[in-house]
Amino acid sequence: GDIPAHIGGTTLFGDNVEDEWFIVYLIREITKEFPGLAARIEDNDGEFLLIEAADFLPEWLSPENSDNRVFFYKGELHIIPLSETEEQECDLSAASPTISQALTLLSSCSEEFLAAAPIRAAVYKRISGYPEKIQASFHRAHCYLPAGIVSVLRQRPSLVAPAVQAFYLRDPVDLRACRSFQTFPPDERVMTVVTFTKCLYAQLVQQKFVPDRRSGYTLPLPSHPQYKAYELGMKLAHGFEILCSKRSKVSPDDKRNVLSGPLWERFLSSLKEKQYFKGEMEGSAKYLELLHKAEDYFQQSVTKPESSVEANPGDEIWALLQTTTIDLKEFEREAACLPPEDDDSWLDLTPDDLDQMLKEARNESTPSSNEEEEKYDLEAVAESMKAFVSKVSTHEGAEMPWSSDESHVTFDVDSFTKALDRILGADSEELDSDDLDEEQEFDFSDEDDEDLDAENQREDEQVSPNELIGSLKSYMNEMDRELAQTNVGKSFITQKKGASSVDAASSQSAGPDSGVEETELTPVDVDMNLVANLLESYSAQSGLAGPTSNILQSMGVHLPENADRTGSSKGAAE
Protein backbone atom coordinates (compact mmCIF):
# COMPACT_ATOMS: atom_id res chain seq x y z
CA GLY A 1 0.00 0.00 0.00
CA ASP A 2 1.30 3.42 1.03
CA ILE A 3 4.03 1.93 3.24
CA PRO A 4 7.49 2.19 1.62
CA ALA A 5 9.84 -0.76 1.25
CA HIS A 6 10.91 -1.98 4.65
CA ILE A 7 12.15 -4.90 6.73
CA GLY A 8 9.85 -6.04 9.51
CA GLY A 9 9.62 -8.81 12.05
CA THR A 10 7.70 -10.14 15.02
CA THR A 11 9.18 -11.71 18.13
CA LEU A 12 7.33 -13.63 20.84
CA PHE A 13 9.33 -12.65 23.90
CA GLY A 14 6.98 -14.37 26.36
CA ASP A 15 7.82 -13.76 30.01
CA ASN A 16 11.29 -12.37 29.31
CA VAL A 17 10.71 -8.64 28.91
CA GLU A 18 14.47 -8.09 28.76
CA ASP A 19 14.44 -9.77 25.33
CA GLU A 20 12.14 -6.98 24.17
CA TRP A 21 14.56 -4.28 25.33
CA PHE A 22 17.46 -6.16 23.75
CA ILE A 23 15.60 -5.81 20.43
CA VAL A 24 15.25 -2.08 21.12
CA TYR A 25 19.01 -1.93 21.60
CA LEU A 26 19.59 -3.76 18.32
CA ILE A 27 17.24 -1.44 16.42
CA ARG A 28 18.94 1.63 17.83
CA GLU A 29 22.34 0.28 16.83
CA ILE A 30 21.09 -0.51 13.31
CA THR A 31 19.83 3.06 12.80
CA LYS A 32 23.13 4.34 14.19
CA GLU A 33 25.15 2.16 11.79
CA PHE A 34 22.92 2.97 8.79
CA PRO A 35 21.88 6.66 9.10
CA GLY A 36 19.46 6.45 6.20
CA LEU A 37 17.17 4.03 8.06
CA ALA A 38 14.26 4.93 10.33
CA ALA A 39 12.79 2.30 12.66
CA ARG A 40 9.76 2.03 14.88
CA ILE A 41 8.86 -0.68 17.39
CA GLU A 42 5.75 -1.50 19.39
CA ASP A 43 4.35 -4.42 21.35
CA ASN A 44 0.96 -5.64 22.51
CA ASP A 45 0.76 -2.64 24.86
CA GLY A 46 1.29 -0.20 21.98
CA GLU A 47 4.03 2.42 22.07
CA PHE A 48 5.87 0.91 25.02
CA LEU A 49 8.77 3.34 24.58
CA LEU A 50 6.39 6.14 25.53
CA ILE A 51 5.08 4.07 28.43
CA GLU A 52 8.63 3.80 29.76
CA ALA A 53 8.98 7.60 29.66
CA ALA A 54 5.40 8.36 30.75
CA ASP A 55 6.50 10.77 33.50
CA PHE A 56 8.18 13.10 31.01
CA LEU A 57 5.82 13.12 28.01
CA PRO A 58 4.26 16.37 26.75
CA GLU A 59 0.61 16.98 27.53
CA TRP A 60 -0.56 16.71 23.92
CA LEU A 61 0.80 13.19 23.42
CA SER A 62 -1.78 10.48 24.11
CA PRO A 63 -2.35 6.87 23.00
CA GLU A 64 -4.95 8.10 20.50
CA ASN A 65 -2.55 10.28 18.49
CA SER A 66 0.80 8.53 19.06
CA ASP A 67 0.68 6.23 16.01
CA ASN A 68 3.57 6.73 13.56
CA ARG A 69 5.16 9.43 15.72
CA VAL A 70 7.90 7.57 17.59
CA PHE A 71 10.99 6.58 15.57
CA PHE A 72 14.64 5.69 15.98
CA TYR A 73 16.58 7.75 13.45
CA LYS A 74 20.37 8.10 13.28
CA GLY A 75 20.59 6.29 16.60
CA GLU A 76 18.38 8.73 18.49
CA LEU A 77 14.75 8.68 19.60
CA HIS A 78 12.51 11.11 17.70
CA ILE A 79 8.90 12.13 18.35
CA ILE A 80 7.01 13.93 15.59
CA PRO A 81 4.93 16.74 17.20
CA LEU A 82 1.24 17.32 16.69
CA SER A 83 1.55 20.74 15.02
CA GLU A 84 3.84 21.33 12.02
CA THR A 85 5.86 24.42 11.04
CA GLU A 86 5.42 26.35 7.80
CA GLU A 87 8.48 24.75 6.20
CA GLN A 88 7.00 21.26 6.37
CA GLU A 89 5.26 20.12 3.23
CA CYS A 90 3.06 17.41 4.76
CA ASP A 91 -0.27 18.17 6.35
CA LEU A 92 -0.52 16.76 9.88
CA SER A 93 -4.01 18.01 10.61
CA ALA A 94 -5.08 14.40 11.17
CA ALA A 95 -4.63 12.81 14.57
CA SER A 96 -1.66 10.72 13.37
CA PRO A 97 0.56 11.02 10.30
CA THR A 98 1.02 8.25 7.78
CA ILE A 99 4.30 6.37 7.52
CA SER A 100 5.22 8.26 4.33
CA GLN A 101 4.48 11.62 5.93
CA ALA A 102 6.48 10.74 9.02
CA LEU A 103 9.49 9.63 6.97
CA THR A 104 9.36 12.83 4.91
CA LEU A 105 9.38 14.91 8.07
CA LEU A 106 12.24 12.93 9.60
CA SER A 107 14.43 13.27 6.52
CA SER A 108 13.77 17.01 6.18
CA CYS A 109 14.19 18.33 9.72
CA SER A 110 14.95 15.52 12.15
CA GLU A 111 16.78 17.86 14.58
CA GLU A 112 13.49 19.55 15.48
CA PHE A 113 11.84 16.22 16.31
CA LEU A 114 14.55 14.92 18.64
CA ALA A 115 12.83 13.69 21.81
CA ALA A 116 13.38 15.68 24.98
CA ALA A 117 16.41 14.74 27.04
CA PRO A 118 14.40 13.22 29.97
CA ILE A 119 12.42 11.04 27.54
CA ARG A 120 15.55 9.76 25.83
CA ALA A 121 17.27 9.21 29.17
CA ALA A 122 14.38 7.07 30.44
CA VAL A 123 14.42 4.87 27.32
CA TYR A 124 18.21 4.63 27.03
CA LYS A 125 18.47 3.63 30.69
CA ARG A 126 16.56 0.43 29.93
CA ILE A 127 19.01 -0.53 27.17
CA SER A 128 22.16 0.59 28.97
CA GLY A 129 24.77 -2.06 29.61
CA TYR A 130 24.50 -3.80 26.25
CA PRO A 131 26.23 -5.64 24.68
CA GLU A 132 27.98 -6.67 27.92
CA LYS A 133 24.62 -7.46 29.51
CA ILE A 134 24.09 -10.28 26.99
CA GLN A 135 26.54 -12.60 28.70
CA ALA A 136 25.11 -11.71 32.11
CA SER A 137 21.68 -12.97 31.02
CA PHE A 138 22.96 -16.50 30.35
CA HIS A 139 22.92 -19.39 32.81
CA ARG A 140 24.86 -22.62 32.28
CA ALA A 141 23.62 -25.74 34.03
CA HIS A 142 24.37 -29.46 34.03
CA CYS A 143 21.65 -31.61 32.49
CA TYR A 144 21.33 -35.40 32.19
CA LEU A 145 19.96 -35.67 28.64
CA PRO A 146 19.44 -38.28 25.91
CA ALA A 147 22.36 -38.35 23.48
CA GLY A 148 20.10 -37.30 20.60
CA ILE A 149 19.20 -34.01 22.32
CA VAL A 150 22.87 -33.38 23.15
CA SER A 151 23.73 -33.80 19.47
CA VAL A 152 20.93 -31.47 18.37
CA LEU A 153 21.93 -28.77 20.86
CA ARG A 154 25.56 -28.98 19.67
CA GLN A 155 24.42 -27.86 16.22
CA ARG A 156 21.53 -25.59 17.18
CA PRO A 157 21.85 -24.28 20.77
CA SER A 158 18.90 -21.92 20.23
CA LEU A 159 16.49 -24.88 20.08
CA VAL A 160 16.59 -24.98 23.87
CA ALA A 161 14.17 -22.03 23.89
CA PRO A 162 11.23 -23.68 22.05
CA ALA A 163 11.86 -26.87 24.03
CA VAL A 164 11.54 -25.04 27.35
CA GLN A 165 8.46 -23.22 26.13
CA ALA A 166 6.87 -26.48 24.99
CA PHE A 167 7.36 -27.96 28.45
CA TYR A 168 6.38 -24.75 30.25
CA LEU A 169 3.11 -24.41 28.27
CA ARG A 170 2.30 -28.12 28.05
CA ASP A 171 -1.23 -29.48 28.21
CA PRO A 172 -2.61 -33.03 28.69
CA VAL A 173 -2.66 -33.62 24.93
CA ASP A 174 1.06 -32.80 24.69
CA LEU A 175 1.90 -35.20 27.50
CA ARG A 176 0.40 -38.14 25.58
CA ALA A 177 3.50 -38.20 23.40
CA CYS A 178 5.63 -38.40 26.54
CA ARG A 179 4.26 -41.74 27.66
CA SER A 180 6.38 -43.78 25.26
CA PHE A 181 9.16 -41.35 24.19
CA GLN A 182 9.60 -42.72 20.69
CA THR A 183 12.08 -40.00 19.65
CA PHE A 184 14.21 -39.54 22.78
CA PRO A 185 14.07 -42.70 24.93
CA PRO A 186 15.83 -42.51 28.29
CA ASP A 187 18.14 -45.46 27.55
CA GLU A 188 21.16 -43.52 26.33
CA ARG A 189 21.62 -40.47 28.51
CA VAL A 190 24.77 -38.48 29.21
CA MET A 191 25.70 -35.52 31.39
CA THR A 192 26.27 -32.26 29.52
CA VAL A 193 26.24 -28.49 29.95
CA VAL A 194 23.28 -26.56 28.51
CA THR A 195 23.23 -22.79 28.13
CA PHE A 196 19.90 -21.17 29.02
CA THR A 197 18.84 -17.62 29.44
CA LYS A 198 18.02 -16.86 33.05
CA CYS A 199 14.34 -16.61 32.21
CA LEU A 200 14.31 -20.01 30.50
CA TYR A 201 16.23 -21.59 33.37
CA ALA A 202 13.82 -20.14 35.94
CA GLN A 203 10.81 -21.38 33.96
CA LEU A 204 12.26 -24.88 33.82
CA VAL A 205 13.58 -25.22 37.37
CA GLN A 206 10.54 -23.74 39.10
CA GLN A 207 8.08 -26.15 37.50
CA LYS A 208 6.98 -29.02 39.72
CA PHE A 209 6.56 -32.09 37.54
CA VAL A 210 6.47 -35.85 38.04
CA PRO A 211 7.09 -37.95 34.89
CA ASP A 212 4.77 -40.72 33.79
CA ARG A 213 5.91 -44.14 34.96
CA ARG A 214 5.52 -45.51 31.43
CA SER A 215 8.02 -42.97 30.09
CA GLY A 216 11.01 -44.70 31.68
CA TYR A 217 12.34 -41.46 33.16
CA THR A 218 13.12 -41.92 36.83
CA LEU A 219 14.71 -39.49 39.26
CA PRO A 220 17.13 -40.23 42.10
CA LEU A 221 16.45 -39.14 45.65
CA PRO A 222 16.46 -35.36 46.26
CA SER A 223 19.55 -35.87 48.43
CA HIS A 224 21.50 -37.10 45.39
CA PRO A 225 24.30 -34.63 44.47
CA GLN A 226 23.17 -34.56 40.84
CA TYR A 227 19.43 -34.56 41.47
CA LYS A 228 18.98 -31.13 39.88
CA ALA A 229 20.80 -32.23 36.71
CA TYR A 230 18.57 -35.31 36.41
CA GLU A 231 15.44 -33.25 36.96
CA LEU A 232 16.42 -30.53 34.45
CA GLY A 233 17.31 -33.16 31.86
CA MET A 234 14.00 -34.94 32.36
CA LYS A 235 12.01 -31.72 31.90
CA LEU A 236 14.01 -30.65 28.86
CA ALA A 237 13.61 -34.11 27.28
CA HIS A 238 9.84 -33.76 27.67
CA GLY A 239 9.97 -30.42 25.87
CA PHE A 240 11.93 -31.87 22.93
CA GLU A 241 9.62 -34.87 22.72
CA ILE A 242 6.58 -32.56 22.61
CA LEU A 243 8.17 -30.55 19.77
CA CYS A 244 8.90 -33.66 17.73
CA SER A 245 5.34 -34.90 18.23
CA LYS A 246 4.10 -31.69 16.58
CA ARG A 247 6.29 -31.87 13.50
CA SER A 248 4.53 -31.71 10.16
CA LYS A 249 3.62 -35.12 8.88
CA VAL A 250 4.81 -35.23 5.26
CA SER A 251 4.47 -38.48 3.39
CA PRO A 252 7.44 -39.74 1.34
CA ASP A 253 5.38 -39.48 -1.84
CA ASP A 254 4.68 -35.79 -1.26
CA LYS A 255 8.34 -35.11 -0.57
CA ARG A 256 9.36 -37.08 -3.67
CA ASN A 257 6.94 -35.08 -5.86
CA VAL A 258 8.26 -31.76 -4.59
CA LEU A 259 11.90 -32.73 -5.18
CA SER A 260 11.40 -34.14 -8.68
CA GLY A 261 10.21 -31.06 -10.54
CA PRO A 262 12.17 -28.57 -12.65
CA LEU A 263 11.96 -25.97 -9.87
CA TRP A 264 14.05 -28.15 -7.57
CA GLU A 265 16.57 -28.81 -10.34
CA ARG A 266 17.08 -25.08 -10.89
CA PHE A 267 17.37 -24.53 -7.13
CA LEU A 268 19.96 -27.31 -6.79
CA SER A 269 22.04 -26.02 -9.71
CA SER A 270 21.96 -22.55 -8.18
CA LEU A 271 23.30 -23.95 -4.91
CA LYS A 272 26.13 -25.69 -6.72
CA GLU A 273 27.07 -22.50 -8.57
CA LYS A 274 27.22 -20.56 -5.30
CA GLN A 275 29.50 -23.21 -3.70
CA TYR A 276 26.84 -24.23 -1.16
CA PHE A 277 28.36 -27.72 -0.86
CA LYS A 278 31.82 -26.26 -0.15
CA GLY A 279 33.59 -28.61 -2.56
CA GLU A 280 32.38 -31.76 -0.80
CA MET A 281 32.32 -34.93 -2.88
CA GLU A 282 28.84 -35.94 -3.99
CA GLY A 283 27.58 -38.79 -1.82
CA SER A 284 29.83 -38.03 1.15
CA ALA A 285 28.38 -37.63 4.65
CA LYS A 286 28.92 -33.86 4.70
CA TYR A 287 27.41 -33.50 1.22
CA LEU A 288 24.32 -35.51 2.19
CA GLU A 289 23.90 -33.44 5.36
CA LEU A 290 23.92 -30.21 3.36
CA LEU A 291 21.65 -31.75 0.75
CA HIS A 292 19.04 -32.76 3.35
CA LYS A 293 19.04 -29.24 4.76
CA ALA A 294 18.49 -27.82 1.28
CA GLU A 295 15.68 -30.28 0.60
CA ASP A 296 13.89 -29.41 3.86
CA TYR A 297 14.22 -25.71 3.19
CA PHE A 298 12.97 -26.06 -0.40
CA GLN A 299 10.06 -28.23 0.65
CA GLN A 300 8.94 -25.74 3.31
CA SER A 301 9.32 -22.86 0.85
CA VAL A 302 7.17 -24.57 -1.77
CA THR A 303 4.44 -25.98 0.47
CA LYS A 304 4.24 -23.05 2.92
CA PRO A 305 5.85 -20.00 1.34
CA GLU A 306 4.43 -17.66 3.96
CA SER A 307 6.27 -19.49 6.75
CA SER A 308 9.49 -20.30 4.92
CA VAL A 309 11.49 -18.09 7.25
CA GLU A 310 10.01 -19.47 10.46
CA ALA A 311 10.56 -23.22 10.41
CA ASN A 312 8.73 -25.62 12.69
CA PRO A 313 11.12 -26.48 15.57
CA GLY A 314 9.95 -30.10 15.48
CA ASP A 315 10.82 -30.39 11.78
CA GLU A 316 14.19 -28.81 12.41
CA ILE A 317 14.99 -31.23 15.26
CA TRP A 318 13.87 -34.20 13.18
CA ALA A 319 16.00 -33.11 10.21
CA LEU A 320 19.05 -32.75 12.44
CA LEU A 321 18.50 -36.22 13.90
CA GLN A 322 18.35 -37.74 10.41
CA THR A 323 21.63 -36.15 9.29
CA THR A 324 23.72 -36.39 12.46
CA THR A 325 25.84 -39.29 13.69
CA ILE A 326 25.59 -39.73 17.45
CA ASP A 327 28.87 -40.71 19.10
CA LEU A 328 27.84 -41.85 22.59
CA LYS A 329 31.38 -42.68 23.72
CA GLU A 330 32.62 -39.22 22.79
CA PHE A 331 29.81 -37.64 24.82
CA GLU A 332 30.70 -39.83 27.81
CA ARG A 333 34.35 -38.79 27.64
CA GLU A 334 33.34 -35.13 27.60
CA ALA A 335 30.96 -35.68 30.53
CA ALA A 336 33.90 -36.79 32.68
CA CYS A 337 35.46 -33.31 32.59
CA LEU A 338 32.58 -30.85 32.40
CA PRO A 339 33.11 -27.23 33.45
CA PRO A 340 31.30 -26.20 36.65
CA GLU A 341 27.75 -24.92 36.32
CA ASP A 342 26.72 -21.38 37.23
CA ASP A 343 25.44 -20.46 40.66
CA ASP A 344 21.66 -20.05 40.69
CA SER A 345 21.41 -18.15 43.97
CA TRP A 346 19.99 -15.25 41.95
CA LEU A 347 16.71 -17.16 41.98
CA ASP A 348 16.31 -16.51 45.72
CA LEU A 349 15.32 -12.96 46.54
CA THR A 350 15.69 -11.98 50.20
CA PRO A 351 13.64 -9.17 51.80
CA ASP A 352 16.78 -7.05 51.97
CA ASP A 353 17.38 -7.54 48.25
CA LEU A 354 13.80 -6.54 47.52
CA ASP A 355 14.12 -3.42 49.68
CA GLN A 356 17.30 -2.49 47.84
CA MET A 357 15.61 -2.93 44.46
CA LEU A 358 12.66 -0.79 45.55
CA LYS A 359 15.02 1.86 46.87
CA GLU A 360 16.92 1.95 43.60
CA ALA A 361 13.67 2.21 41.65
CA ARG A 362 12.52 5.03 43.91
CA ASN A 363 15.78 6.90 43.42
CA GLU A 364 15.46 6.46 39.67
CA SER A 365 11.94 7.90 39.66
CA THR A 366 13.00 10.90 41.80
CA PRO A 367 16.63 11.58 40.83
CA SER A 368 16.66 14.97 42.52
CA SER A 369 16.08 13.53 45.97
CA ASN A 370 19.15 13.12 48.18
CA GLU A 371 18.76 10.43 50.81
CA GLU A 372 21.19 12.11 53.18
CA GLU A 373 19.31 15.39 53.09
CA GLU A 374 15.86 13.81 53.05
CA LYS A 375 13.72 15.02 55.94
CA TYR A 376 10.51 13.35 56.91
CA ASP A 377 8.41 16.39 57.73
CA LEU A 378 4.91 15.39 58.77
CA GLU A 379 3.64 18.87 57.92
CA ALA A 380 4.78 18.25 54.35
CA VAL A 381 2.67 15.08 54.32
CA ALA A 382 -0.44 17.01 55.34
CA GLU A 383 0.24 19.80 52.84
CA SER A 384 0.78 17.26 50.05
CA MET A 385 -2.58 15.64 50.74
CA LYS A 386 -4.26 19.06 50.71
CA ALA A 387 -2.62 19.86 47.38
CA PHE A 388 -3.74 16.49 46.03
CA VAL A 389 -7.36 17.10 47.07
CA SER A 390 -7.31 20.59 45.53
CA LYS A 391 -6.24 19.26 42.12
CA VAL A 392 -8.93 18.97 39.45
CA SER A 393 -9.52 15.38 38.37
CA THR A 394 -10.97 14.19 35.08
CA HIS A 395 -12.23 10.90 33.68
CA GLU A 396 -8.57 10.06 32.89
CA GLY A 397 -7.67 10.08 36.58
CA ALA A 398 -6.35 12.35 39.31
CA GLU A 399 -3.45 14.71 38.73
CA MET A 400 -0.67 14.02 41.21
CA PRO A 401 1.17 17.09 42.55
CA TRP A 402 4.88 16.29 42.67
CA SER A 403 5.55 18.82 45.38
CA SER A 404 3.45 20.51 48.02
CA ASP A 405 5.04 23.82 47.07
CA GLU A 406 3.66 23.77 43.53
CA SER A 407 0.35 25.38 44.37
CA HIS A 408 -1.45 26.56 47.47
CA VAL A 409 -4.92 25.51 48.46
CA THR A 410 -7.36 28.23 47.41
CA PHE A 411 -10.99 28.81 48.36
CA ASP A 412 -13.36 30.75 46.12
CA VAL A 413 -16.39 31.90 48.13
CA ASP A 414 -18.55 32.71 45.11
CA SER A 415 -17.93 29.35 43.43
CA PHE A 416 -18.56 27.55 46.70
CA THR A 417 -21.86 29.41 47.15
CA LYS A 418 -23.03 28.63 43.63
CA ALA A 419 -22.17 24.99 44.15
CA LEU A 420 -24.20 24.94 47.36
CA ASP A 421 -27.12 26.50 45.49
CA ARG A 422 -27.08 23.65 43.04
CA ILE A 423 -26.66 21.00 45.74
CA LEU A 424 -29.27 22.34 48.17
CA GLY A 425 -31.75 23.07 45.39
CA ALA A 426 -32.30 26.79 46.02
CA ASP A 427 -33.63 27.23 42.48
CA SER A 428 -35.50 23.95 42.14
CA GLU A 429 -39.26 24.06 41.78
CA GLU A 430 -40.22 20.48 42.47
CA LEU A 431 -39.04 17.43 44.33
CA ASP A 432 -37.27 14.60 42.60
CA SER A 433 -38.84 11.22 41.98
CA ASP A 434 -37.27 9.68 45.09
CA ASP A 435 -38.95 12.26 47.35
CA LEU A 436 -42.30 11.66 45.65
CA ASP A 437 -41.94 7.92 46.12
CA GLU A 438 -41.15 8.39 49.80
CA GLU A 439 -44.21 10.65 50.20
CA GLN A 440 -46.48 8.01 48.70
CA GLU A 441 -44.85 5.20 50.67
CA PHE A 442 -44.98 6.78 54.13
CA ASP A 443 -48.31 8.60 53.62
CA PHE A 444 -47.31 11.91 55.16
CA SER A 445 -49.90 13.70 57.28
CA ASP A 446 -51.38 17.08 56.38
CA GLU A 447 -49.10 18.81 58.83
CA ASP A 448 -46.06 17.27 57.14
CA ASP A 449 -47.38 18.38 53.75
CA GLU A 450 -47.78 21.90 55.06
CA ASP A 451 -44.22 21.81 56.38
CA LEU A 452 -42.97 20.61 52.99
CA ASP A 453 -44.86 23.39 51.22
CA ALA A 454 -43.39 25.92 53.60
CA GLU A 455 -39.89 24.57 52.97
CA ASN A 456 -40.41 24.69 49.22
CA GLN A 457 -41.51 28.27 49.48
CA ARG A 458 -38.44 29.16 51.50
CA GLU A 459 -36.23 27.39 48.95
CA ASP A 460 -37.88 29.32 46.13
CA GLU A 461 -36.96 32.59 47.77
CA GLN A 462 -33.68 34.18 46.74
CA VAL A 463 -31.12 33.70 49.53
CA SER A 464 -28.01 35.81 49.75
CA PRO A 465 -24.63 34.05 49.94
CA ASN A 466 -23.86 35.26 53.46
CA GLU A 467 -27.24 34.06 54.75
CA LEU A 468 -26.72 30.70 53.06
CA ILE A 469 -23.28 30.19 54.63
CA GLY A 470 -24.62 31.31 58.04
CA SER A 471 -27.48 28.84 57.76
CA LEU A 472 -25.04 26.09 56.82
CA LYS A 473 -22.86 26.90 59.84
CA SER A 474 -25.88 26.66 62.13
CA TYR A 475 -26.65 23.24 60.67
CA MET A 476 -23.08 22.14 61.28
CA ASN A 477 -23.15 23.42 64.87
CA GLU A 478 -26.33 21.47 65.55
CA MET A 479 -24.70 18.36 64.12
CA ASP A 480 -21.64 18.91 66.34
CA ARG A 481 -23.80 19.20 69.46
CA GLU A 482 -25.68 16.05 68.52
CA LEU A 483 -22.47 14.08 67.83
CA ALA A 484 -20.92 15.36 71.05
CA GLN A 485 -23.30 13.11 72.98
CA THR A 486 -21.83 10.03 71.26
CA ASN A 487 -18.41 8.36 71.21
CA VAL A 488 -17.64 9.52 67.67
CA GLY A 489 -15.69 12.53 68.85
CA LYS A 490 -13.34 10.38 70.94
CA SER A 491 -11.92 8.82 67.77
CA PHE A 492 -10.48 12.16 66.66
CA ILE A 493 -7.46 14.07 67.93
CA THR A 494 -8.52 17.52 69.12
CA GLN A 495 -6.50 20.70 69.30
CA LYS A 496 -4.65 21.49 72.49
CA LYS A 497 -5.99 24.16 74.78
CA GLY A 498 -3.20 26.58 73.92
CA ALA A 499 -4.05 26.33 70.24
CA SER A 500 -7.69 27.26 70.87
CA SER A 501 -7.22 29.97 73.53
CA VAL A 502 -9.00 32.56 71.42
CA ASP A 503 -12.05 30.34 71.08
CA ALA A 504 -12.00 29.67 74.83
CA ALA A 505 -11.93 33.38 75.67
CA SER A 506 -14.84 34.14 73.38
CA SER A 507 -16.87 31.26 74.79
CA GLN A 508 -16.31 32.43 78.37
CA SER A 509 -17.61 35.91 77.52
CA ALA A 510 -20.69 34.42 75.93
CA GLY A 511 -22.26 33.07 79.11
CA PRO A 512 -21.84 30.82 82.12
CA ASP A 513 -23.00 27.67 80.32
CA SER A 514 -20.72 28.00 77.38
CA GLY A 515 -17.78 26.39 79.23
CA VAL A 516 -19.46 23.02 79.15
CA GLU A 517 -20.02 23.21 75.43
CA GLU A 518 -16.44 24.35 74.88
CA THR A 519 -15.04 21.22 76.46
CA GLU A 520 -17.34 19.06 74.37
CA LEU A 521 -16.84 20.96 71.12
CA THR A 522 -13.07 21.31 71.14
CA PRO A 523 -11.94 21.87 67.54
CA VAL A 524 -10.58 18.81 65.78
CA ASP A 525 -6.95 18.99 64.70
CA VAL A 526 -7.45 18.16 61.01
CA ASP A 527 -3.76 17.93 60.13
CA MET A 528 -2.96 15.69 63.10
CA ASN A 529 -5.86 13.34 62.31
CA LEU A 530 -4.81 13.22 58.67
CA VAL A 531 -1.21 12.35 59.50
CA ALA A 532 -2.19 9.84 62.19
CA ASN A 533 -4.57 8.02 59.85
CA LEU A 534 -1.98 7.99 57.09
CA LEU A 535 0.66 6.56 59.41
CA GLU A 536 -1.75 3.94 60.71
CA SER A 537 -2.61 2.90 57.16
CA TYR A 538 1.07 2.88 56.23
CA SER A 539 1.87 0.69 59.24
CA ALA A 540 -0.92 -1.72 58.30
CA GLN A 541 0.69 -2.25 54.89
CA SER A 542 3.55 -4.09 56.67
CA GLY A 543 6.07 -2.96 54.09
CA LEU A 544 3.91 -3.96 51.12
CA ALA A 545 2.38 -1.73 48.48
CA GLY A 546 -0.80 0.04 49.52
CA PRO A 547 -2.92 3.15 48.99
CA THR A 548 -0.97 5.36 51.39
CA SER A 549 2.51 4.64 50.03
CA ASN A 550 1.26 4.77 46.42
CA ILE A 551 -0.38 8.19 46.81
CA LEU A 552 2.45 9.73 48.83
CA GLN A 553 5.22 8.40 46.59
CA SER A 554 3.42 9.64 43.49
CA MET A 555 3.55 13.10 45.06
CA GLY A 556 7.25 12.82 45.89
CA VAL A 557 6.75 12.19 49.63
CA HIS A 558 8.62 9.13 50.96
CA LEU A 559 7.98 7.90 54.47
CA PRO A 560 10.73 6.10 56.41
CA GLU A 561 10.51 2.41 57.18
CA ASN A 562 8.40 1.50 60.18
CA ALA A 563 11.11 0.37 62.58
CA ASP A 564 8.65 -0.30 65.42
CA ARG A 565 5.80 -2.33 63.92
CA THR A 566 4.13 -2.66 67.30
CA GLY A 567 4.18 1.06 68.13
CA SER A 568 1.14 3.23 67.80
CA SER A 569 0.97 5.37 64.68
CA LYS A 570 -0.89 7.98 66.67
CA GLY A 571 1.99 8.18 69.11
CA ALA A 572 4.43 8.47 66.19
CA ALA A 573 2.42 11.37 64.83
CA GLU A 574 2.50 13.11 68.18
Side-chain angles (χ1 to χ4, degrees), residues 122-366:
V123 174
Y124 296 165
K125 186 175 182 61
R126 285 301 304 264
I127 59 178
S128 62
Y130 286 110
E132 294 79 10
K133 196 189 294 185
I134 298 175
Q135 293 298 324
S137 66
F138 288 145
H139 183 88
R140 297 162 185 84
H142 291 173
C143 295
Y144 194 54
L145 288 170
I149 297 178
V150 177
S151 177
V152 168
L153 290 178
R154 291 285 176 87
Q155 301 179 66
R156 286 295 309 276
S158 60
L159 286 174
V160 70
V164 172
Q165 290 298 304
F167 176 78
Y168 186 66
L169 303 175
R170 67 192 181 278
D171 56 29
V173 178
D174 295 335
L175 292 179
R176 292 178 183 175
C178 300
R179 296 174 181 172
S180 57
F181 271 91
Q182 298 179 359
T183 308
F184 300 108
D187 302 333
E188 299 178 348
R189 285 184 289 175
V190 293
M191 192 70 68
T192 186
V193 175
V194 179
T195 301
F196 303 88
T197 64
K198 287 186 175 180
C199 180
L200 293 174
Y201 178 78
Q203 288 178 332
L204 199 63
V205 75
Q206 296 291 352
Q207 286 267 317
K208 303 298 181 183
F209 179 74
V210 177
D212 194 300
R213 292 182 178 179
R214 292 169 288 185
S215 66
Y217 279 87
T218 57
L219 296 177
L221 295 175
S223 58
H224 193 279
Q226 293 181 328
Y227 173 81
K228 183 179 292 185
Y230 275 77
E231 186 182 33
L232 286 175
M234 177 268 297
K235 294 176 181 178
L236 200 56
H238 278 71
F240 274 95
E241 188 71 26
I242 291 172
L243 289 178
C244 288
S245 68
K246 294 182 177 181
R247 72 179 188 273
S248 58
K249 303 297 190 296
V250 180
S251 64
D253 294 337
D254 293 339
K255 187 174 182 179
R256 193 178 302 110
N257 293 334
V258 172
L259 301 178
S260 61
L263 193 60
W264 161 252
E265 296 296 333
R266 289 198 299 268
F267 180 69
L268 184 59
S269 62
S270 175
L271 292 179
K272 292 179 179 179
E273 292 175 1
K274 296 176 181 178
Q275 299 298 319
Y276 169 74
F277 293 99
K278 304 176 183 179
E280 294 290 335
M281 184 179 297
E282 189 171 349
S284 63
K286 185 65 176 177
Y287 181 90
L288 293 178
E289 180 181 345
L290 294 173
L291 180 63
H292 288 319
K293 289 183 179 180
E295 290 174 349
D296 292 335
Y297 175 81
F298 180 79
Q299 181 185 358
Q300 293 172 4
S301 301
V302 172
T303 57
K304 297 180 181 180
E306 73 280 357
S307 62
S308 59
V309 177
E310 183 181 356
N312 186 336
D315 294 337
E316 200 169 354
I317 295 171
W318 186 257
L320 290 173
L321 289 174
Q322 303 304 314
T323 59
T324 302
T325 302
I326 301 175
D327 190 350
L328 184 60
K329 293 183 178 180
E330 178 66 22
F331 291 158
E332 291 176 348
R333 284 194 297 268
E334 294 177 356
C337 54
L338 290 177
E341 58 182 354
D342 296 339
D343 183 18
D344 62 356
S345 59
W346 51 268
L347 284 170
D348 302 322
L349 194 64
T350 64
D352 294 337
D353 296 335
L354 181 59
D355 291 341
Q356 182 64 27
M357 293 171 59
L358 294 175
K359 186 178 296 183
E360 292 176 358
R362 186 185 71 184
N363 294 336
E364 291 173 4
S365 61
T366 56

Side-chain angles (χ1 to χ4, degrees), residues 23 30 62 92 151 321 335 446 568 572:
I23 296 174
I30 290 173
S62 65
L92 289 185
S151 177
L321 289 174
D446 294 339
S568 171

